[in-house]
mmCIF file of all heavy atoms in Angstrom:
data_model
loop_
_atom_site.group_PDB
_atom_site.id
_atom_site.type_symbol
_atom_site.label_atom_id
_atom_site.label_comp_id
_atom_site.label_asym_id
_atom_site.label_seq_id
_atom_site.Cartn_x
_atom_site.Cartn_y
_atom_site.Cartn_z
ATOM 1 N N ARG B 370 -58.987 14.758 7.864
ATOM 2 C CA ARG B 370 -57.578 14.892 7.449
ATOM 3 C C ARG B 370 -56.680 13.874 8.169
ATOM 4 O O ARG B 370 -55.771 13.321 7.550
ATOM 5 C CB ARG B 370 -57.051 16.308 7.742
ATOM 6 C CG ARG B 370 -57.563 17.370 6.783
ATOM 7 C CD ARG B 370 -56.837 18.697 6.985
ATOM 8 N NE ARG B 370 -55.399 18.570 6.794
ATOM 9 C CZ ARG B 370 -54.783 18.530 5.610
ATOM 10 N NH1 ARG B 370 -55.478 18.609 4.494
ATOM 11 N NH2 ARG B 370 -53.475 18.415 5.551
ATOM 12 N N HIS B 371 -56.947 13.651 9.461
ATOM 13 C CA HIS B 371 -55.999 12.876 10.243
ATOM 14 C C HIS B 371 -56.651 11.690 10.931
ATOM 15 O O HIS B 371 -57.363 11.864 11.918
ATOM 16 C CB HIS B 371 -55.340 13.772 11.308
ATOM 17 C CG HIS B 371 -54.706 15.007 10.750
ATOM 18 N ND1 HIS B 371 -53.815 14.976 9.710
ATOM 19 C CD2 HIS B 371 -54.856 16.323 11.064
ATOM 20 C CE1 HIS B 371 -53.424 16.211 9.430
ATOM 21 N NE2 HIS B 371 -54.043 17.042 10.219
ATOM 22 N N ALA B 372 -56.421 10.507 10.401
ATOM 23 C CA ALA B 372 -56.908 9.278 11.043
ATOM 24 C C ALA B 372 -56.112 8.126 10.433
ATOM 25 O O ALA B 372 -55.726 8.175 9.269
ATOM 26 C CB ALA B 372 -58.395 9.084 10.789
ATOM 27 N N GLY B 373 -55.866 7.100 11.254
ATOM 28 C CA GLY B 373 -55.149 5.941 10.745
ATOM 29 C C GLY B 373 -55.978 5.144 9.766
ATOM 30 O O GLY B 373 -55.556 4.844 8.658
ATOM 31 N N SER B 374 -57.207 4.805 10.188
ATOM 32 C CA SER B 374 -58.098 4.061 9.319
ATOM 33 C C SER B 374 -59.540 4.473 9.634
ATOM 34 O O SER B 374 -59.873 4.745 10.791
ATOM 35 C CB SER B 374 -57.913 2.544 9.539
ATOM 36 O OG SER B 374 -58.494 1.813 8.454
ATOM 37 N N VAL B 375 -60.368 4.547 8.598
ATOM 38 C CA VAL B 375 -61.745 5.023 8.748
ATOM 39 C C VAL B 375 -62.694 3.903 8.366
ATOM 40 O O VAL B 375 -62.480 3.181 7.381
ATOM 41 C CB VAL B 375 -61.986 6.284 7.886
ATOM 42 C CG1 VAL B 375 -63.409 6.814 8.114
ATOM 43 C CG2 VAL B 375 -60.964 7.372 8.218
ATOM 44 N N PHE B 376 -63.775 3.742 9.137
ATOM 45 C CA PHE B 376 -64.768 2.696 8.968
ATOM 46 C C PHE B 376 -66.092 3.376 8.663
ATOM 47 O O PHE B 376 -66.608 4.137 9.475
ATOM 48 C CB PHE B 376 -64.796 1.827 10.224
ATOM 49 C CG PHE B 376 -63.433 1.252 10.518
ATOM 50 C CD1 PHE B 376 -62.496 1.996 11.229
ATOM 51 C CD2 PHE B 376 -63.055 0.033 9.986
ATOM 52 C CE1 PHE B 376 -61.216 1.497 11.430
ATOM 53 C CE2 PHE B 376 -61.773 -0.471 10.180
ATOM 54 C CZ PHE B 376 -60.845 0.255 10.907
ATOM 55 N N LEU B 377 -66.604 3.117 7.467
ATOM 56 C CA LEU B 377 -67.689 3.929 6.908
ATOM 57 C C LEU B 377 -69.045 3.252 7.061
ATOM 58 O O LEU B 377 -69.225 2.107 6.617
ATOM 59 C CB LEU B 377 -67.402 4.202 5.432
ATOM 60 C CG LEU B 377 -66.108 4.965 5.127
ATOM 61 C CD1 LEU B 377 -65.817 4.948 3.617
ATOM 62 C CD2 LEU B 377 -66.179 6.401 5.616
ATOM 63 N N GLY B 378 -69.989 3.966 7.654
ATOM 64 C CA GLY B 378 -71.371 3.490 7.689
ATOM 65 C C GLY B 378 -71.679 2.673 8.933
ATOM 66 O O GLY B 378 -70.814 2.403 9.768
ATOM 67 N N ARG B 379 -72.921 2.230 9.012
ATOM 68 C CA ARG B 379 -73.399 1.566 10.238
ATOM 69 C C ARG B 379 -72.994 0.106 10.325
ATOM 70 O O ARG B 379 -73.105 -0.519 11.372
ATOM 71 C CB ARG B 379 -74.939 1.663 10.292
ATOM 72 C CG ARG B 379 -75.495 3.069 10.180
ATOM 73 C CD ARG B 379 -76.946 3.128 10.619
ATOM 74 N NE ARG B 379 -77.624 4.332 10.136
ATOM 75 C CZ ARG B 379 -77.457 5.547 10.664
ATOM 76 N NH1 ARG B 379 -76.621 5.731 11.661
ATOM 77 N NH2 ARG B 379 -78.120 6.573 10.167
ATOM 78 N N HIS B 380 -72.568 -0.478 9.190
ATOM 79 C CA HIS B 380 -72.303 -1.927 9.157
ATOM 80 C C HIS B 380 -70.815 -2.242 9.034
ATOM 81 O O HIS B 380 -70.446 -3.306 8.542
ATOM 82 C CB HIS B 380 -73.092 -2.579 8.017
ATOM 83 C CG HIS B 380 -74.580 -2.371 8.159
ATOM 84 N ND1 HIS B 380 -75.375 -3.206 8.916
ATOM 85 C CD2 HIS B 380 -75.397 -1.374 7.705
ATOM 86 C CE1 HIS B 380 -76.628 -2.754 8.883
ATOM 87 N NE2 HIS B 380 -76.666 -1.657 8.164
ATOM 88 N N THR B 381 -69.979 -1.303 9.455
ATOM 89 C CA THR B 381 -68.536 -1.516 9.365
ATOM 90 C C THR B 381 -67.918 -1.327 10.748
ATOM 91 O O THR B 381 -67.244 -0.334 11.019
ATOM 92 C CB THR B 381 -67.884 -0.546 8.352
ATOM 93 O OG1 THR B 381 -68.669 -0.504 7.159
ATOM 94 C CG2 THR B 381 -66.479 -0.980 7.998
#
Side-chain angles (χ1 to χ4, degrees):
Chain B
R370 286 189 58 79
H371 305 309
S374 196
V375 183
F376 303 85
L377 299 170
R379 305 196 198 284
H380 301 274
T381 315

